[in-house]
PDB file of all heavy atoms in Angstrom:
ATOM      1  N   GLN A  40     -71.833 111.701 -33.295  1.00  0.00           N
ATOM      2  CA  GLN A  40     -72.759 110.766 -33.943  1.00  0.00           C
ATOM      3  C   GLN A  40     -73.966 110.450 -33.055  1.00  0.00           C
ATOM      4  O   GLN A  40     -73.973 110.795 -31.883  1.00  0.00           O
ATOM      5  CB  GLN A  40     -72.006 109.475 -34.318  1.00  0.00           C
ATOM      6  CG  GLN A  40     -71.160 108.903 -33.184  1.00  0.00           C
ATOM      7  CD  GLN A  40     -69.867 108.269 -33.634  1.00  0.00           C
ATOM      8  OE1 GLN A  40     -69.688 107.953 -34.802  1.00  0.00           O
ATOM      9  NE2 GLN A  40     -68.946 108.034 -32.700  1.00  0.00           N
ATOM     10  N   MET A  54     -75.135  97.819 -30.433  1.00  0.00           N
ATOM     11  CA  MET A  54     -74.730  99.234 -30.486  1.00  0.00           C
ATOM     12  C   MET A  54     -74.907  99.751 -31.905  1.00  0.00           C
ATOM     13  O   MET A  54     -74.419  99.144 -32.867  1.00  0.00           O
ATOM     14  CB  MET A  54     -73.273  99.409 -30.062  1.00  0.00           C
ATOM     15  CG  MET A  54     -72.859 100.883 -30.064  1.00  0.00           C
ATOM     16  SD  MET A  54     -71.086 101.149 -29.854  1.00  0.00           S
ATOM     17  CE  MET A  54     -70.891 100.903 -28.117  1.00  0.00           C
ATOM     18  N   LEU A  56     -74.475 103.194 -34.401  1.00  0.00           N
ATOM     19  CA  LEU A  56     -73.956 104.549 -34.605  1.00  0.00           C
ATOM     20  C   LEU A  56     -74.559 105.074 -35.898  1.00  0.00           C
ATOM     21  O   LEU A  56     -74.435 104.408 -36.941  1.00  0.00           O
ATOM     22  CB  LEU A  56     -72.421 104.557 -34.689  1.00  0.00           C
ATOM     23  CG  LEU A  56     -71.656 104.344 -33.380  1.00  0.00           C
ATOM     24  CD1 LEU A  56     -70.142 104.373 -33.626  1.00  0.00           C
ATOM     25  CD2 LEU A  56     -72.011 105.375 -32.312  1.00  0.00           C
ATOM     26  N   VAL A  60     -75.453  99.148 -37.432  1.00  0.00           N
ATOM     27  CA  VAL A  60     -75.017  98.198 -36.403  1.00  0.00           C
ATOM     28  C   VAL A  60     -73.495  98.195 -36.318  1.00  0.00           C
ATOM     29  O   VAL A  60     -72.804  97.946 -37.304  1.00  0.00           O
ATOM     30  CB  VAL A  60     -75.511  96.769 -36.744  1.00  0.00           C
ATOM     31  CG1 VAL A  60     -74.923  95.746 -35.769  1.00  0.00           C
ATOM     32  CG2 VAL A  60     -77.027  96.710 -36.743  1.00  0.00           C
ATOM     33  N   MET A  61     -72.970  98.501 -35.136  1.00  0.00           N
ATOM     34  CA  MET A  61     -71.529  98.434 -34.904  1.00  0.00           C
ATOM     35  C   MET A  61     -71.150  97.068 -34.353  1.00  0.00           C
ATOM     36  O   MET A  61     -70.151  96.481 -34.723  1.00  0.00           O
ATOM     37  CB  MET A  61     -71.084  99.504 -33.904  1.00  0.00           C
ATOM     38  CG  MET A  61     -71.176 100.907 -34.415  1.00  0.00           C
ATOM     39  SD  MET A  61     -69.977 101.223 -35.738  1.00  0.00           S
ATOM     40  CE  MET A  61     -71.061 101.549 -37.113  1.00  0.00           C
ATOM     41  N   TYR A  70     -65.692  89.659 -35.537  1.00  0.00           N
ATOM     42  CA  TYR A  70     -64.987  90.856 -35.996  1.00  0.00           C
ATOM     43  C   TYR A  70     -63.727  91.102 -35.154  1.00  0.00           C
ATOM     44  O   TYR A  70     -62.631  91.314 -35.690  1.00  0.00           O
ATOM     45  CB  TYR A  70     -65.952  92.042 -35.881  1.00  0.00           C
ATOM     46  CG  TYR A  70     -65.358  93.374 -36.246  1.00  0.00           C
ATOM     47  CD1 TYR A  70     -65.433  93.861 -37.546  1.00  0.00           C
ATOM     48  CD2 TYR A  70     -64.718  94.164 -35.276  1.00  0.00           C
ATOM     49  CE1 TYR A  70     -64.897  95.099 -37.873  1.00  0.00           C
ATOM     50  CE2 TYR A  70     -64.184  95.394 -35.605  1.00  0.00           C
ATOM     51  CZ  TYR A  70     -64.272  95.857 -36.898  1.00  0.00           C
ATOM     52  OH  TYR A  70     -63.730  97.071 -37.214  1.00  0.00           O
ATOM     53  N   HIS A  71     -63.877  91.090 -33.832  1.00  0.00           N
ATOM     54  CA  HIS A  71     -62.748  91.460 -32.967  1.00  0.00           C
ATOM     55  C   HIS A  71     -61.627  90.438 -33.006  1.00  0.00           C
ATOM     56  O   HIS A  71     -60.453  90.800 -32.954  1.00  0.00           O
ATOM     57  CB  HIS A  71     -63.246  91.720 -31.541  1.00  0.00           C
ATOM     58  CG  HIS A  71     -64.140  92.925 -31.477  1.00  0.00           C
ATOM     59  ND1 HIS A  71     -65.431  92.893 -31.015  1.00  0.00           N
ATOM     60  CD2 HIS A  71     -63.927  94.196 -31.904  1.00  0.00           C
ATOM     61  CE1 HIS A  71     -65.974  94.097 -31.137  1.00  0.00           C
ATOM     62  NE2 HIS A  71     -65.090  94.903 -31.672  1.00  0.00           N
ATOM     63  N   ILE A  91     -56.896 102.447 -33.964  1.00  0.00           N
ATOM     64  CA  ILE A  91     -57.578 103.704 -34.291  1.00  0.00           C
ATOM     65  C   ILE A  91     -59.080 103.427 -34.269  1.00  0.00           C
ATOM     66  O   ILE A  91     -59.545 102.528 -34.975  1.00  0.00           O
ATOM     67  CB  ILE A  91     -57.204 104.194 -35.715  1.00  0.00           C
ATOM     68  CG1 ILE A  91     -55.704 104.324 -35.888  1.00  0.00           C
ATOM     69  CG2 ILE A  91     -57.936 105.495 -36.051  1.00  0.00           C
ATOM     70  CD1 ILE A  91     -55.099 105.539 -35.283  1.00  0.00           C
ATOM     71  N   GLY A  92     -59.830 104.182 -33.482  1.00  0.00           N
ATOM     72  CA  GLY A  92     -61.254 103.914 -33.311  1.00  0.00           C
ATOM     73  C   GLY A  92     -61.409 102.839 -32.251  1.00  0.00           C
ATOM     74  O   GLY A  92     -60.722 102.864 -31.224  1.00  0.00           O
ATOM     75  N   GLY A  93     -62.326 101.890 -32.515  1.00  0.00           N
ATOM     76  CA  GLY A  93     -62.440 100.734 -31.613  1.00  0.00           C
ATOM     77  C   GLY A  93     -62.956 101.062 -30.222  1.00  0.00           C
ATOM     78  O   GLY A  93     -62.668 100.331 -29.265  1.00  0.00           O
ATOM     79  N   GLY A  94     -63.741 102.158 -30.095  1.00  0.00           N
ATOM     80  CA  GLY A  94     -64.172 102.626 -28.783  1.00  0.00           C
ATOM     81  C   GLY A  94     -64.984 101.633 -27.970  1.00  0.00           C
ATOM     82  O   GLY A  94     -65.065 101.750 -26.751  1.00  0.00           O
ATOM     83  N   ASP A  95     -65.561 100.624 -28.628  1.00  0.00           N
ATOM     84  CA  ASP A  95     -66.286  99.612 -27.856  1.00  0.00           C
ATOM     85  C   ASP A  95     -65.322  98.736 -27.060  1.00  0.00           C
ATOM     86  O   ASP A  95     -65.719  98.004 -26.175  1.00  0.00           O
ATOM     87  CB  ASP A  95     -67.152  98.755 -28.794  1.00  0.00           C
ATOM     88  CG  ASP A  95     -66.337  98.178 -29.938  1.00  0.00           C
ATOM     89  OD1 ASP A  95     -65.489  97.301 -29.705  1.00  0.00           O
ATOM     90  OD2 ASP A  95     -66.532  98.622 -31.091  1.00  0.00           O
ATOM     91  N   VAL A 114     -56.854 105.034 -29.881  1.00  0.00           N
ATOM     92  CA  VAL A 114     -57.255 106.433 -30.061  1.00  0.00           C
ATOM     93  C   VAL A 114     -58.679 106.472 -30.616  1.00  0.00           C
ATOM     94  O   VAL A 114     -58.907 106.153 -31.784  1.00  0.00           O
ATOM     95  CB  VAL A 114     -56.292 107.187 -31.009  1.00  0.00           C
ATOM     96  CG1 VAL A 114     -56.641 108.674 -31.031  1.00  0.00           C
ATOM     97  CG2 VAL A 114     -54.837 106.994 -30.591  1.00  0.00           C
ATOM     98  N   GLU A 115     -59.607 106.808 -29.767  1.00  0.00           N
ATOM     99  CA  GLU A 115     -61.037 106.835 -30.133  1.00  0.00           C
ATOM    100  C   GLU A 115     -61.538 108.278 -30.026  1.00  0.00           C
ATOM    101  O   GLU A 115     -61.299 108.950 -29.032  1.00  0.00           O
ATOM    102  CB  GLU A 115     -61.815 105.904 -29.187  1.00  0.00           C
ATOM    103  CG  GLU A 115     -63.305 106.124 -29.118  1.00  0.00           C
ATOM    104  CD  GLU A 115     -64.047 105.890 -30.438  1.00  0.00           C
ATOM    105  OE1 GLU A 115     -63.879 104.825 -31.039  1.00  0.00           O
ATOM    106  OE2 GLU A 115     -64.811 106.803 -30.846  1.00  0.00           O
ATOM    107  N   ILE A 116     -62.253 108.711 -31.045  1.00  0.00           N
ATOM    108  CA  ILE A 116     -62.684 110.120 -31.085  1.00  0.00           C
ATOM    109  C   ILE A 116     -63.836 110.428 -30.127  1.00  0.00           C
ATOM    110  O   ILE A 116     -63.950 111.545 -29.624  1.00  0.00           O
ATOM    111  CB  ILE A 116     -63.058 110.503 -32.545  1.00  0.00           C
ATOM    112  CG1 ILE A 116     -62.958 112.014 -32.762  1.00  0.00           C
ATOM    113  CG2 ILE A 116     -64.436 109.990 -32.936  1.00  0.00           C
ATOM    114  CD1 ILE A 116     -62.954 112.412 -34.231  1.00  0.00           C
ATOM    115  N   ASP A 117     -64.671 109.427 -29.860  1.00  0.00           N
ATOM    116  CA  ASP A 117     -65.925 109.696 -29.149  1.00  0.00           C
ATOM    117  C   ASP A 117     -65.940 109.019 -27.777  1.00  0.00           C
ATOM    118  O   ASP A 117     -66.132 107.803 -27.669  1.00  0.00           O
ATOM    119  CB  ASP A 117     -67.090 109.165 -30.023  1.00  0.00           C
ATOM    120  CG  ASP A 117     -68.430 109.667 -29.558  1.00  0.00           C
ATOM    121  OD1 ASP A 117     -68.542 110.069 -28.384  1.00  0.00           O
ATOM    122  OD2 ASP A 117     -69.372 109.656 -30.368  1.00  0.00           O
ATOM    123  N   VAL A 120     -68.744 106.592 -26.726  1.00  0.00           N
ATOM    124  CA  VAL A 120     -68.740 105.186 -27.170  1.00  0.00           C
ATOM    125  C   VAL A 120     -68.023 104.341 -26.108  1.00  0.00           C
ATOM    126  O   VAL A 120     -68.484 103.264 -25.730  1.00  0.00           O
ATOM    127  CB  VAL A 120     -68.055 105.034 -28.555  1.00  0.00           C
ATOM    128  CG1 VAL A 120     -67.948 103.565 -28.945  1.00  0.00           C
ATOM    129  CG2 VAL A 120     -68.809 105.806 -29.630  1.00  0.00           C
ATOM    130  N   GLY A 144     -59.430 111.114 -28.755  1.00  0.00           N
ATOM    131  CA  GLY A 144     -58.978 112.105 -29.732  1.00  0.00           C
ATOM    132  C   GLY A 144     -59.170 111.580 -31.140  1.00  0.00           C
ATOM    133  O   GLY A 144     -59.563 110.424 -31.346  1.00  0.00           O
ATOM    134  N   ASP A 145     -58.850 112.430 -32.094  1.00  0.00           N
ATOM    135  CA  ASP A 145     -59.009 112.076 -33.500  1.00  0.00           C
ATOM    136  C   ASP A 145     -57.819 111.212 -33.943  1.00  0.00           C
ATOM    137  O   ASP A 145     -56.660 111.639 -33.829  1.00  0.00           O
ATOM    138  CB  ASP A 145     -59.084 113.373 -34.318  1.00  0.00           C
ATOM    139  CG  ASP A 145     -59.380 113.109 -35.785  1.00  0.00           C
ATOM    140  OD1 ASP A 145     -59.285 111.939 -36.222  1.00  0.00           O
ATOM    141  OD2 ASP A 145     -59.714 114.071 -36.498  1.00  0.00           O
ATOM    142  N   GLY A 146     -58.131 110.036 -34.444  1.00  0.00           N
ATOM    143  CA  GLY A 146     -57.084 109.107 -34.878  1.00  0.00           C
ATOM    144  C   GLY A 146     -56.241 109.683 -36.013  1.00  0.00           C
ATOM    145  O   GLY A 146     -55.047 109.378 -36.125  1.00  0.00           O
ATOM    146  N   ILE A 147     -56.856 110.510 -36.843  1.00  0.00           N
ATOM    147  CA  ILE A 147     -56.124 111.084 -37.985  1.00  0.00           C
ATOM    148  C   ILE A 147     -55.072 112.060 -37.446  1.00  0.00           C
ATOM    149  O   ILE A 147     -53.891 111.996 -37.800  1.00  0.00           O
ATOM    150  CB  ILE A 147     -57.092 111.809 -38.952  1.00  0.00           C
ATOM    151  CG1 ILE A 147     -58.178 110.832 -39.400  1.00  0.00           C
ATOM    152  CG2 ILE A 147     -56.351 112.420 -40.143  1.00  0.00           C
ATOM    153  CD1 ILE A 147     -59.333 111.447 -40.147  1.00  0.00           C
ATOM    154  N   ASP A 163     -59.945 100.242 -36.617  1.00  0.00           N
ATOM    155  CA  ASP A 163     -61.236  99.668 -36.222  1.00  0.00           C
ATOM    156  C   ASP A 163     -62.256 100.793 -36.278  1.00  0.00           C
ATOM    157  O   ASP A 163     -62.702 101.314 -35.268  1.00  0.00           O
ATOM    158  CB  ASP A 163     -61.102  99.091 -34.808  1.00  0.00           C
ATOM    159  CG  ASP A 163     -62.379  98.441 -34.326  1.00  0.00           C
ATOM    160  OD1 ASP A 163     -63.370  98.416 -35.075  1.00  0.00           O
ATOM    161  OD2 ASP A 163     -62.385  97.957 -33.179  1.00  0.00           O
ATOM    162  N   SER A 164     -62.573 101.166 -37.488  1.00  0.00           N
ATOM    163  CA  SER A 164     -63.350 102.385 -37.685  1.00  0.00           C
ATOM    164  C   SER A 164     -64.808 102.068 -37.985  1.00  0.00           C
ATOM    165  O   SER A 164     -65.148 100.944 -38.325  1.00  0.00           O
ATOM    166  CB  SER A 164     -62.791 103.126 -38.889  1.00  0.00           C
ATOM    167  OG  SER A 164     -62.964 102.322 -40.024  1.00  0.00           O
ATOM    168  N   SER A 165     -65.613 103.115 -37.898  1.00  0.00           N
ATOM    169  CA  SER A 165     -66.965 103.003 -38.430  1.00  0.00           C
ATOM    170  C   SER A 165     -66.874 103.152 -39.952  1.00  0.00           C
ATOM    171  O   SER A 165     -65.774 103.241 -40.503  1.00  0.00           O
ATOM    172  CB  SER A 165     -67.878 104.042 -37.787  1.00  0.00           C
ATOM    173  OG  SER A 165     -67.136 105.112 -37.265  1.00  0.00           O
ATOM    174  N   ASP A 166     -68.009 103.233 -40.606  1.00  0.00           N
ATOM    175  CA  ASP A 166     -68.018 103.258 -42.075  1.00  0.00           C
ATOM    176  C   ASP A 166     -67.481 104.581 -42.628  1.00  0.00           C
ATOM    177  O   ASP A 166     -67.377 105.554 -41.895  1.00  0.00           O
ATOM    178  CB  ASP A 166     -69.441 102.975 -42.559  1.00  0.00           C
ATOM    179  CG  ASP A 166     -69.873 101.588 -42.094  1.00  0.00           C
ATOM    180  OD1 ASP A 166     -69.134 100.641 -42.358  1.00  0.00           O
ATOM    181  OD2 ASP A 166     -70.921 101.483 -41.429  1.00  0.00           O
ATOM    182  N   PRO A 170     -67.439 110.796 -38.867  1.00  0.00           N
ATOM    183  CA  PRO A 170     -66.078 111.045 -38.383  1.00  0.00           C
ATOM    184  C   PRO A 170     -65.046 110.046 -38.922  1.00  0.00           C
ATOM    185  O   PRO A 170     -63.848 110.288 -38.893  1.00  0.00           O
ATOM    186  CB  PRO A 170     -66.211 110.924 -36.862  1.00  0.00           C
ATOM    187  CG  PRO A 170     -67.449 110.147 -36.626  1.00  0.00           C
ATOM    188  CD  PRO A 170     -68.365 110.440 -37.783  1.00  0.00           C
ATOM    189  N   GLY A 171     -65.546 108.909 -39.458  1.00  0.00           N
ATOM    190  CA  GLY A 171     -64.637 107.870 -39.948  1.00  0.00           C
ATOM    191  C   GLY A 171     -64.153 108.103 -41.375  1.00  0.00           C
ATOM    192  O   GLY A 171     -63.230 107.421 -41.844  1.00  0.00           O
ATOM    193  N   LEU A 174     -60.494 108.268 -42.367  1.00  0.00           N
ATOM    194  CA  LEU A 174     -59.683 107.073 -42.073  1.00  0.00           C
ATOM    195  C   LEU A 174     -59.592 106.160 -43.292  1.00  0.00           C
ATOM    196  O   LEU A 174     -58.966 105.112 -43.239  1.00  0.00           O
ATOM    197  CB  LEU A 174     -60.299 106.303 -40.897  1.00  0.00           C
ATOM    198  CG  LEU A 174     -60.396 107.060 -39.571  1.00  0.00           C
ATOM    199  CD1 LEU A 174     -61.199 106.269 -38.557  1.00  0.00           C
ATOM    200  CD2 LEU A 174     -59.008 107.332 -39.008  1.00  0.00           C
ATOM    201  N   GLN A 196     -60.825  97.083 -41.359  1.00  0.00           N
ATOM    202  CA  GLN A 196     -62.086  96.497 -41.817  1.00  0.00           C
ATOM    203  C   GLN A 196     -62.529  97.288 -43.029  1.00  0.00           C
ATOM    204  O   GLN A 196     -62.334  98.497 -43.095  1.00  0.00           O
ATOM    205  CB  GLN A 196     -63.132  96.547 -40.700  1.00  0.00           C
ATOM    206  CG  GLN A 196     -63.638  97.926 -40.331  1.00  0.00           C
ATOM    207  CD  GLN A 196     -64.917  98.302 -41.036  1.00  0.00           C
ATOM    208  OE1 GLN A 196     -65.464  97.531 -41.833  1.00  0.00           O
ATOM    209  NE2 GLN A 196     -65.412  99.493 -40.774  1.00  0.00           N
ATOM    210  N   TYR A 231     -73.653  91.971 -40.104  1.00  0.00           N
ATOM    211  CA  TYR A 231     -73.136  92.993 -41.025  1.00  0.00           C
ATOM    212  C   TYR A 231     -73.715  92.742 -42.423  1.00  0.00           C
ATOM    213  O   TYR A 231     -74.026  91.601 -42.767  1.00  0.00           O
ATOM    214  CB  TYR A 231     -71.601  92.947 -41.078  1.00  0.00           C
ATOM    215  CG  TYR A 231     -70.898  93.584 -39.888  1.00  0.00           C
ATOM    216  CD1 TYR A 231     -71.601  94.093 -38.807  1.00  0.00           C
ATOM    217  CD2 TYR A 231     -69.511  93.693 -39.852  1.00  0.00           C
ATOM    218  CE1 TYR A 231     -70.949  94.678 -37.727  1.00  0.00           C
ATOM    219  CE2 TYR A 231     -68.854  94.281 -38.777  1.00  0.00           C
ATOM    220  CZ  TYR A 231     -69.585  94.767 -37.722  1.00  0.00           C
ATOM    221  OH  TYR A 231     -68.948  95.347 -36.655  1.00  0.00           O
ATOM    222  N   TRP A 236     -67.792  89.731 -44.699  1.00  0.00           N
ATOM    223  CA  TRP A 236     -67.081  90.974 -44.367  1.00  0.00           C
ATOM    224  C   TRP A 236     -65.620  90.914 -44.783  1.00  0.00           C
ATOM    225  O   TRP A 236     -64.971  89.873 -44.672  1.00  0.00           O
ATOM    226  CB  TRP A 236     -67.190  91.256 -42.868  1.00  0.00           C
ATOM    227  CG  TRP A 236     -67.165  92.741 -42.619  1.00  0.00           C
ATOM    228  CD1 TRP A 236     -66.193  93.438 -41.966  1.00  0.00           C
ATOM    229  CD2 TRP A 236     -68.141  93.695 -43.028  1.00  0.00           C
ATOM    230  NE1 TRP A 236     -66.522  94.774 -41.962  1.00  0.00           N
ATOM    231  CE2 TRP A 236     -67.706  94.961 -42.605  1.00  0.00           C
ATOM    232  CE3 TRP A 236     -69.347  93.610 -43.728  1.00  0.00           C
ATOM    233  CZ2 TRP A 236     -68.423  96.132 -42.852  1.00  0.00           C
ATOM    234  CZ3 TRP A 236     -70.061  94.771 -43.972  1.00  0.00           C
ATOM    235  CH2 TRP A 236     -69.602  96.008 -43.529  1.00  0.00           C
TER     236      TRP A 236
HETATM  237  N1  LIG B   1     -66.924  97.022 -35.605  1.00  0.00           N
HETATM  238  C1  LIG B   1     -67.393  98.212 -36.112  1.00  0.00           C
HETATM  239  C2  LIG B   1     -67.919  98.213 -37.509  1.00  0.00           C
HETATM  240  O1  LIG B   1     -67.237  97.863 -38.451  1.00  0.00           O
HETATM  241  O2  LIG B   1     -69.088  98.558 -37.649  1.00  0.00           O
HETATM  242  C3  LIG B   1     -66.530  99.373 -35.764  1.00  0.00           C
HETATM  243  C4  LIG B   1     -67.004  99.844 -34.458  1.00  0.00           C
HETATM  244  S1  LIG B   1     -66.078 100.991 -33.571  1.00  0.00           S
HETATM  245  C5  LIG B   1     -67.353 101.373 -32.446  1.00  0.00           C
HETATM  246  C6  LIG B   1     -65.793 102.355 -34.640  1.00  0.00           C
HETATM  247  C7  LIG B   1     -65.323 103.564 -33.879  1.00  0.00           C
HETATM  248  O3  LIG B   1     -64.530 104.397 -34.713  1.00  0.00           O
HETATM  249  C8  LIG B   1     -66.447 104.442 -33.344  1.00  0.00           C
HETATM  250  O4  LIG B   1     -66.478 104.357 -31.952  1.00  0.00           O
HETATM  251  C9  LIG B   1     -66.094 105.836 -33.830  1.00  0.00           C
HETATM  252  O5  LIG B   1     -66.355 106.841 -32.882  1.00  0.00           O
HETATM  253  C10 LIG B   1     -64.602 105.675 -34.116  1.00  0.00           C
HETATM  254  N2  LIG B   1     -64.052 106.703 -35.017  1.00  0.00           N
HETATM  255  C11 LIG B   1     -64.626 107.180 -36.142  1.00  0.00           C
HETATM  256  N3  LIG B   1     -63.834 108.129 -36.679  1.00  0.00           N
HETATM  257  C12 LIG B   1     -62.739 108.228 -35.876  1.00  0.00           C
HETATM  258  C13 LIG B   1     -61.566 109.038 -35.910  1.00  0.00           C
HETATM  259  N4  LIG B   1     -61.372 109.932 -36.873  1.00  0.00           N
HETATM  260  N5  LIG B   1     -60.649 108.868 -34.927  1.00  0.00           N
HETATM  261  C14 LIG B   1     -60.839 107.973 -33.929  1.00  0.00           C
HETATM  262  N6  LIG B   1     -61.939 107.198 -33.857  1.00  0.00           N
HETATM  263  C15 LIG B   1     -62.876 107.313 -34.805  1.00  0.00           C
END
Side-chain angles (χ1 to χ4, degrees):
Q40 48 216 343
M54 182 190 282
L56 286 180
V60 173
M61 291 292 116
Y70 177 91
H71 294 122
I91 305 282
D95 53 69
V114 187
E115 162 63 52
I116 203 165
D117 193 339
V120 175
D145 185 347
I147 304 170
D163 182 1
S164 63
S165 22
D166 298 307
L174 299 172
Q196 69 95 0
Y231 283 4
W236 210 246

